Amino acid sequence: MRRPIRFIERNWTQLALVAVAASWVFRRLRTKRHRVELPAPTGPFQVGRLAFDWLDPARKEPYAPGKRRRRELSVWIWYPAEVNPGAQAGEYLPGRWRLTSLLWGFQASRVRAHAVSRAPVARGQERFPVLVFSPAAFAPHYYTALFEELASHGYVVVALSHTYEMLPVSVFADGRVRLFRPASVGNALQVSRIPHEEDVRKRARVVGVKAEDLSFVVDQLERLNAGTGLLAGRLDLDRLGALGHSLGGNAAAEFCRRDRRCRAVVDLDGGLWSEVSQEGIPRPFLMLFAEHPEYLRPCADSVRQKAFSSEEYCQEHRAFAVTGWQRLYASAQPGYSIQVRGAGHASFTDCGLLPLRSGSFARQSLGSIEGHRMWRVLSDYLLAFFDRHLRDRPAPLLDGPDPSHPEALFEPPEVLFQVPKA
């Protein structure tokens, strides 16, 4: 198994060029009438985008084959901008990030986003609140529609590419590529066949790395804000929020437990594996869940559906997950727990908006909610939450069920995911 991996690592440049060339030929053979435009941002600001590569000399790279490498991250930033007339939006997947579309099953050149690369920051002296985002396996760009909407309403969104975790590759801003390594997600992308206790330890370690990544990036943002670059003096790091998807949701919560600079946090359909599920955090916390039938049906049925390897593992995991969610929800000040009816795990990404091919496995976890509607519901609740807790603005949408958002079910985790008896 190591030989093909080593071959790929040693010949990555040539293989990447072949893949890009094949993708270009395929694009030329397709008609242009099937282009897809992401939803237009609705806020008062236009949107810019830029990227950085940041090296943390204090930390070893935990997933690299060598022992001497330091932890290095690629970071993408969406921000309120003043776009010059005639400026063209940047590519949805820039550079070698296009290789990820081959895995997820769509043609990246067919997708049009709205952010303009390195556009000037919006005029004035206003400082903008900052949101740091942790994904899981999906590259930061697969949340573009959401980030553009948040930026258009006056937020700076800083999304991490956790190196070795993105599928199938992580790409640095300067074009370097790192292949995915299963250890970077604690083997969470397959049905586990080891004891649940061991999975908890593995994934807690992964979450710890991701939380450290977030703290390091906030350190870099402080330096960026104090410097002379494009965003200098425009970041309001006293109004800092965090959010994440899947394992990234746990990482965002763990970061907020460890780092007092974080004022509010959102978990987008993420299980909890780390200490935060035991200790909680006395800060504003929002959990947005997809539907999870594997948590509601008898374990025997979930095993037959290949959601779990055994009934014992199923029972342990469901009790562990629901207890952790409920404990964190109860400790938050205040806590919000909302399930989006019809949402699947991938519905929190752009996948519901992308021209996925029929065989794309991302379709299997999209749920039944239409992509544009999911984007609107998700955007509205995130804007309401961060507006209330970072900007002290009214947000009645958070106060309970709203007829304009019938998909949103307000219930504590223990009610949403009542664990049935075996």
Side-chain angles (χ1 to χ4, degrees):
M1 183 62 186
R2 286 295 305 161
R3 286 184 179 179
I5 291 176
R6 285 174 181 158
F7 175 81
I8 291 171
E9 290 173 341
R10 290 170 182 170
N11 298 276
W12 178 254
T13 301
Q14 295 90 330
L15 292 171
L17 289 173
V18 170
V20 170
S23 178
W24 182 86
V25 171
F26 185 73
R27 287 201 308 272
R28 299 293 295 176
L29 294 174
R30 301 277 296 187
T31 63
K32 295 185 178 181
R33 59 195 173 99
H34 299 299
R35 292 190 182 275
V36 172
E37 182 173 347
L38 296 180
T42 66
F45 296 103
Q46 295 167 296
V47 182
R49 185 183 73 180
L50 69 162
F52 294 94
D53 293 336
W54 284 331
L55 176 71
D56 184 354
R59 286 195 298 151
K60 292 180 181 178
E61 171 53 65
Y63 307 120
K67 300 294 184 184
R68 296 182 180 179
R69 222 174 250 174
R70 301 286 102 179
R71 184 67 166 166
E72 189 175 8
L73 301 168
S74 178
V75 174
W76 286 81
I77 303 179
W78 285 257
Y79 58 93
E82 190 79 25
V83 174
N84 296 322
Q88 296 294 312
E91 293 178 287
Y92 177 68
L93 295 178
R96 291 177 175 176
W97 281 114
R98 287 194 298 274
L99 297 171
T100 64
S101 67
L102 302 177
L103 172 70
W104 297 112
F106 71 100
Q107 202 174 335
S109 62
R110 292 172 56 195
V111 182
R112 181 180 178 275
H114 302 90
V116 173
S117 179
R118 300 196 64 82
V121 183
R123 293 178 188 175
Q125 299 302 311
E126 180 183 359
R127 294 191 307 147
F128 300 105
V130 177
L131 307 176
V132 290
F133 178 84
S134 174
F138 286 97
H141 306 82
Y142 286 82
Y143 304 84
T144 291
L146 174 63
F147 296 163
E148 289 183 338
E149 177 70 348
L150 293 172
S152 79
H153 285 271
Y155 289 93
V156 175
V157 183
V158 181
L160 283 66
S161 167
H162 298 282
T163 310
Y164 294 105
E165 181 189 307
M166 306 296 102
L167 278 172
V169 292
S170 303
V171 183
F172 290 106
D174 64 10
R176 289 171 296 137
V177 171
R178 297 287 181 264
L179 290 174
F180 169 78
R181 291 186 177 276
S184 68
V185 293
N187 298 311
L189 299 180
Q190 59 189 7
V191 176
S192 178
R193 302 192 180 279
I194 63 176
H196 186 262
E197 251 182 45
E198 190 174 338
D199 271 335
V200 172
R201 286 194 296 271
K202 279 187 176 181
R203 292 172 195 175
R205 284 196 296 270
V206 168
V207 168
V209 172
K210 291 163 72 70
E212 288 175 355
D213 288 347
L214 287 165
S215 284
F216 166 71
V217 164
V218 175
D219 293 341
Q220 297 303 109
L221 292 173
E222 290 178 343
R223 295 186 179 94
L224 195 67
N225 203 36
T228 59
L230 190 65
L231 293 172
R234 306 303 301 278
L235 306 178
D236 189 348
L237 292 165
D238 291 329
R239 294 185 292 171
L240 175 72
L243 67 161
H245 178 218
S246 194
L247 271 174
N250 188 171
E254 184 63 31
F255 159 69
C256 280
R257 183 186 74 85
R258 300 179 182 190
D259 196 319
R260 295 297 302 177
R261 292 175 293 184
C262 175
R263 285 185 50 187
V265 60
V266 176
D267 179 355
L268 302 177
D269 206 39
L272 301 174
W273 306 90
S274 66
E275 290 92 335
V276 73
S277 67
Q278 305 297 317
E279 297 183 14
I281 42 174
R283 261 163 279 176
F285 184 76
L286 167 64
M287 289 180 277
L288 281 170
F289 293 105
E291 292 185 337
H292 286 280
E294 73 276 15
Y295 279 34
L296 299 173
R297 61 196 175 209
C299 275
D301 292 344
S302 289
V303 172
R304 277 193 290 271
Q305 294 291 324
K306 298 184 178 179
F308 301 104
S309 59
S310 69
E311 292 185 43
E312 179 184 2
Y313 189 101
C314 168
Q315 291 161 12
E316 281 188 69
H317 175 69
R318 292 200 302 203
F320 177 85
V322 175
T323 299
W325 284 326
Q326 184 62 32
R327 188 180 289 121
L328 193 47
Y329 168 74
S331 73
Q333 295 179 5
Y336 309 88
S337 173
I338 303 171
Q339 185 178 67
V340 182
R341 291 187 179 97
H345 192 59
S347 298
F348 295 87
T349 72
D350 288 340
C351 285
L353 303 165
L354 299 177
L356 300 180
R357 299 189 184 102
S358 57
S360 169
F361 63 86
R363 286 181 177 272
Q364 300 171 17
S365 55
L366 271 178
S368 59
I369 191 170
E370 192 272 331
H372 284 77
R373 182 57 187 166
M374 180 65 188
W375 167 78
R376 186 69 267 154
V377 171
L378 180 57
S379 298
D380 287 348
Y381 280 100
L382 290 180
L383 285 169
F385 177 78
F386 287 120
D387 280 354
R388 174 178 283 184
H389 295 293
L390 296 184
R391 288 172 153 168
D392 299 318
R393 294 179 177 177
L397 194 61
L398 294 176
D399 294 335
D402 187 288
S404 67
H405 293 73
E407 304 90 346
L409 177 62
F410 282 73
E411 294 288 357
E414 64 183 6
V415 175
L416 290 174
F417 303 111
Q418 293 179 359
V419 179
K421 293 181 179 179

